[in-house]
Amino acid sequence: MAQENAAGEATRPAENGTFDAVVIGAGFAGLYMLHRLRGLGFTAQVYEAGSGVGGTWYWNRYPGARCDVESLQYSFSFSEELDQEWNWSEKYSPQPEILAYANHIADRFDLRGQIVFDTRVTAATFNEDTDTWLIETDRGDRVTAKFCIMAVGCLSAPNRPAFQGKSDFRGPIYHTGEWPHEGVDFGGLRVGVIGTGSSAIQSIPMIAQQAVQLTVFQRTATWSVPAWNEALSAEYLKDAKAHYPALRAKARARPTGFYFPFNIQPALQASSEEREQQYEAAWRRGGLPFLGAYGDLLFDKSANDTIAEFARQKIRDIVKNPTTAELLCPHNVFGCKRLCVDTNYFETYNLPHVKLVDVSKTPIERFTKDGIVVDGTEYMVDAIVSATGFAAMTGSFDKIKITGRSGRTLAEKWSGGPRAYLGLASEGFPNLFMITGPGSPSVLASMIQAIEQHVDWLADCLGHMRDVAANSIEPLRENEDAWVAHVNDVSMVSLRSTCSSWYVGANIPGRPRVFMPYIGGFPVYVQKCNEVMNSAYDGFVLKGARSNNAPPRVRFTERWHVPLDIEVISPAAVAAKRVPVV
Ligand code: FAD
Ligand code: NAP
């Protein structure tokens, strides 16, 4: 039956096909998964809610959006030809270029034909008789697949706080994570930005260039380090490409999955003068590597206090109005929430038309037709930018009714926080996989590396299941419980577990407080995944296999056999948990 969209126009007919695999999402994870599935000869279909590929980079088109892991590393590594032929224009490339890269991947690897756009998966239901998933969409599709692969993204479900009086506001309200494709002209407008996380940090300096008045509503002051972004010259690229495989290998051996200079020395072993010099040099390098100034900054509070004070002083040096400067100075652990990387963020508060409103003690009261009320004062704005982030890690899972064995839903199972073995699969949900799921390094690593490693592992797993004619695979409860406990346990070593970040779900009222990503370091995690594979899926049950214990034919995972770079493991962290802790 032909479907109609909201405008009543006829659209494509609903589908009832059968596939080996259905992949949900066409960001980098969905694209690479499809590429691997095709390479293995599996039939596959990808459903994507957006009208194009790219995921994050399709949706987040706000002014100033760019990556904060250097582009040469924030990119796929599975094809040396791809590495050699693609040219990044900047150290941290802007959103349009990253989106162009995603489109290039789709075209170069001929993926578009198997992606169904403008279609949101609404339900996935496991059939225990056939060991298959029924996948349903908002366009009436009802397709069956042996494997259901969640490539739905960790930061893809926008958080829209329920501000009172929202519908009274006469102007437009934009969310950074769903930015209009045609762009927004803030010329001549009074703009209010809510939030001071990474999206706000990037967009505020750009919006300030257009708006006649900009009011920023800040709940928690944010730590941010200058990007010192720059164009990449042809000579630089040539040289980098000549050494690309070595860079990729070094990156994989790092706890964060990307390479940067790292000083293993504990901060307090240095004199205060040495520390000052070290921090100054790291500040000059800028970006996330600033946290590599010393080895113990994220698990020794006294060490952290030293980098925090250095960064506060930088804010005081930059921001001329002392009251504004103090408001902008964070007092939580440095790097506890995701560290921001900016271009002229703090400098923007020196502009006469930019105002900072503290909503930490007196929250936003309500929207009115003309503005935003805080503590009885109405701030007049013509447009509002909600830079309020995402229901991280599990938000896009929550929007799909996923029903596993015995009619149990994933939402029921995860009501106390997500539970997954290695962040790859969850007991009770056979043949359902997640790419960068909770309990994997995901958002604590350079995500494209994390995605690639998961996809390669999954591709090998699916290939193995076909080799041994297995009907289903599912983690064992005890292994899943042990892994979830380990993820939680390791997180306690890190100061990152101490603040109300989206890593612990604390940005959304009512969410269980659980540290969701795996903080024990990318190589340690990769090693664990490899061990599981090499032991013919220890911790998983394969049903119907000709031989459960046949060693898998490893096709892709081999390239993830990387040694941990022991030079970056802090001795104290090792002593505590025998993992590097990122
Ligand atoms: P996504 O890119 O989020 O793609 C998921 C896709 O699934 C989306 O297109 C979505 O529409 C689709 N989808 C979800 N649910 C459904 C459904 N039910 N039906 C159909 N389709 C669905 N990471 C880094 O490592 N470095 C960075 O510099 C960096 N910068 C970032 C900047 C921004 C602004 C944001 C928001 C995130 C950034 N990240 C960064 C994290 C980023 O999300 C990942 O790097 C990566 O792009 C995730 O890819 P993905 O394919 O896993 O998920
Ligand atoms: P975020 O980090 O969660 O920031 C959201 C901001 O909105 C926070 O300042 C938050 O305050 C504020 N907020 C939320 N609800 C509010 C409310 N009811 N009232 C007032 N303020 C409220 O979200 P994000 O900036 O979109 O970034 C999310 C993640 O995406 C990042 O951490 C990063 O991983 C990724 N990202 C990366 C880049 C990049 O540089 N490449 C850019 C954007 C995003 P509190 O802190 O008090 O909760």
Side-chain angles (χ1 to χ4, degrees):
M1 193 184 82
Q3 301 294 295
E4 287 188 354
N5 65 15
E9 299 153 337
T11 55
R12 67 169 177 79
E15 250 193 293
N16 295 296
T18 299
F19 302 94
D20 292 323
V22 158
V23 180
I24 309 176
F28 286 125
L31 289 174
Y32 185 47
M33 190 73 241
L34 178 58
H35 174 61
R36 280 297 185 225
L37 288 166
R38 279 169 52 108
L40 286 168
F42 282 105
T43 58
Q45 175 109 294
V46 179
Y47 285 107
E48 167 54 56
S51 305
V53 301
T56 288
W57 306 101
Y58 170 88
W59 296 106
N60 291 262
R61 300 176 188 231
Y62 59 84
R66 57 180 71 246
C67 53
D68 60 4
V69 168
E70 291 186 19
S71 292
L72 279 163
Q73 300 196 58
Y74 185 65
S75 46
F76 281 122
S77 66
F78 67 88
S79 160
E80 270 190 50
E81 296 77 26
L82 176 65
D83 269 352
Q84 293 300 326
E85 76 198 16
W86 185 264
N87 289 317
W88 293 108
S89 67
E90 296 177 43
K91 182 174 166 188
Y92 301 108
S93 288
Q95 172 270 333
E97 190 167 310
I98 306 173
L99 183 59
Y101 176 74
N103 277 291
H104 176 70
I105 303 287
D107 294 331
R108 190 188 192 283
F109 298 101
D110 191 24
L111 303 175
R112 285 186 203 280
Q114 282 158 275
I115 307 174
V116 180
F117 293 107
D118 300 307
T119 304
R120 184 169 283 281
V121 171
T122 51
T125 311
F126 186 65
N127 182 329
E128 290 182 56
D129 296 329
T130 55
D131 286 321
T132 56
W133 285 89
L134 171 68
I135 286 121
E136 296 170 83
T137 77
D138 62 356
R139 304 275 294 260
D141 308 289
R142 287 170 60 83
V143 299
T144 304
K146 181 165 179 178
F147 303 108
C148 179
I149 302 173
M150 309 291 293
V152 293
C154 293
L155 296 159
S156 53
N159 169 36
R160 293 193 172 79
F163 295 113
Q164 261 191 41
K166 226 174 183 176
S167 54
D168 298 340
F169 183 63
R170 284 191 301 199
I173 304 176
Y174 306 103
H175 192 289
T176 47
E178 270 183 23
W179 201 258
H181 288 199
E182 62 280 13
V184 180
D185 180 4
F186 291 112
L189 299 183
R190 297 164 303 175
V191 181
V193 174
I194 303 173
T196 51
S198 300
S199 303
I201 295 288
Q202 289 186 328
S203 55
I204 283 169
M206 307 299 289
I207 295 172
Q209 286 176 20
Q210 288 189 350
V212 290
Q213 185 188 302
L214 174 60
T215 311
V216 177
F217 298 87
Q218 170 185 278
R219 187 165 69 181
T220 309
T222 202
W223 295 114
S224 188
V225 178
W228 310 123
N229 189 32
E230 60 190 357
L232 298 181
S233 67
E235 303 81 74
Y236 181 90
L237 278 176
K238 190 172 168 216
D239 184 60
K241 287 183 182 188
H243 304 102
Y244 226 151
L247 175 66
R248 296 293 196 186
K250 281 199 294 186
R252 286 177 192 158
R254 286 304 184 91
T256 50
F258 67 105
Y259 178 79
F260 55 86
F262 189 92
N263 173 22
I264 187 64
Q265 192 193 3
L268 298 180
Q269 276 183 15
S271 69
S272 56
E273 292 75 26
E274 284 167 347
R275 270 200 305 273
E276 192 68 15
Q277 280 174 16
Q278 176 71 0
Y279 288 144
E280 190 58 42
W283 187 267
R284 290 282 127 229
R285 274 199 304 273
L288 301 175
F290 184 57
L291 266 169
Y294 286 105
D296 55 352
L297 294 170
L298 280 173
F299 61 92
D300 181 335
K301 177 67 169 63
S302 307
N304 192 280
D305 287 344
T306 64
I307 195 170
E309 193 42 42
F310 177 89
R312 270 193 290 269
Q313 196 48 49
K314 286 288 180 196
I315 298 172
R316 293 178 188 125
D317 291 347
I318 297 168
V319 180
K320 298 203 174 87
N321 179 317
T323 312
T324 307
E326 277 323 301
L327 270 183
L328 287 168
C329 280
H331 291 281
N332 57 4
V333 165
F334 185 95
C336 188
K337 294 188 179 201
R338 172 65 150 70
L339 183 60
C340 297
V341 177
D342 74 275
T343 298
N344 292 334
Y345 172 64
F346 294 114
E347 288 82 348
T348 299
Y349 291 95
N350 291 330
L351 299 173
H353 66 295
V354 177
K355 185 179 177 62
L356 183 66
V357 177
D358 177 20
V359 299
S360 63
K361 294 175 200 77
T362 47
I364 289 173
E365 211 170 290
R366 65 195 149 86
F367 290 8
T368 63
K369 66 182 174 39
D370 297 316
I372 295 176
V373 179
V374 178
D375 201 17
T377 302
E378 185 177 12
Y379 296 89
M380 311 297 262
V381 295
D382 304 307
I384 295 174
V385 173
S386 200
T388 45
F390 303 88
M393 308 288 298
T394 56
S396 283
F397 287 83
D398 298 343
K399 292 185 179 176
I400 305 172
K401 188 172 182 211
I402 300 170
T403 310
R405 273 195 295 106
S406 314
R408 188 169 55 148
T409 65
L410 194 70
E412 284 159 3
K413 181 176 174 187
W414 285 10
S415 60
R419 304 189 71 78
Y421 184 40
L422 299 171
L424 279 164
S426 193
E427 175 268 339
F429 299 83
N431 292 357
L432 180 97
F433 297 105
M434 25 200 121
I435 301 173
T436 65
S440 71
S442 56
V443 292
L444 292 175
S446 174
M447 281 208 71
I448 297 186
Q449 294 304 292
I451 285 167
E452 273 191 77
Q453 183 263 338
H454 261 193
V455 169
D456 283 345
W457 192 95
L458 286 176
D460 278 339
C461 175
L462 267 48
H464 174 69
M465 288 184 67
R466 185 175 56 188
D467 290 347
V468 299
N471 295 329
S472 72
I473 184 168
E474 182 185 347
L476 282 163
R477 182 66 183 267
E478 68 204 63
N479 292 66
E480 181 174 296
D481 285 350
W483 181 254
V484 172
H486 173 64
V487 171
N488 190 45
D489 198 27
V490 172
S491 76
M492 297 302 172
V493 178
S494 169
L495 293 173
R496 282 200 221 245
S497 64
T498 61
C499 65
S500 301
S501 65
W502 57 256
Y503 294 134
V504 299
N507 62 330
I508 313 274
R511 281 192 129 196
R513 194 178 171 120
V514 176
F515 199 91
M516 291 182 280
Y518 179 57
I519 205 165
F522 185 66
V524 171
Y525 172 82
V526 171
Q527 197 180 331
K528 170 74 181 169
C529 290
N530 291 350
E531 280 166 20
V532 167
M533 174 163 294
N534 292 333
S535 60
Y537 301 97
D538 181 33
F540 286 94
V541 178
L542 274 78
K543 282 208 183 127
R546 275 198 296 270
S547 163
N548 256 2
N549 298 319
R553 185 147 57 98
V554 177
R555 298 160 169 95
F556 308 115
T557 306
E558 191 57 44
R559 66 195 189 92
W560 297 99
H561 281 233
V562 286
L564 175 64
D565 183 348
I566 50 165
E567 287 185 6
V568 299
I569 308 177
S570 151
V574 173
K577 289 291 165 196
R578 309 186 66 75
V579 292
V581 182
V582 290

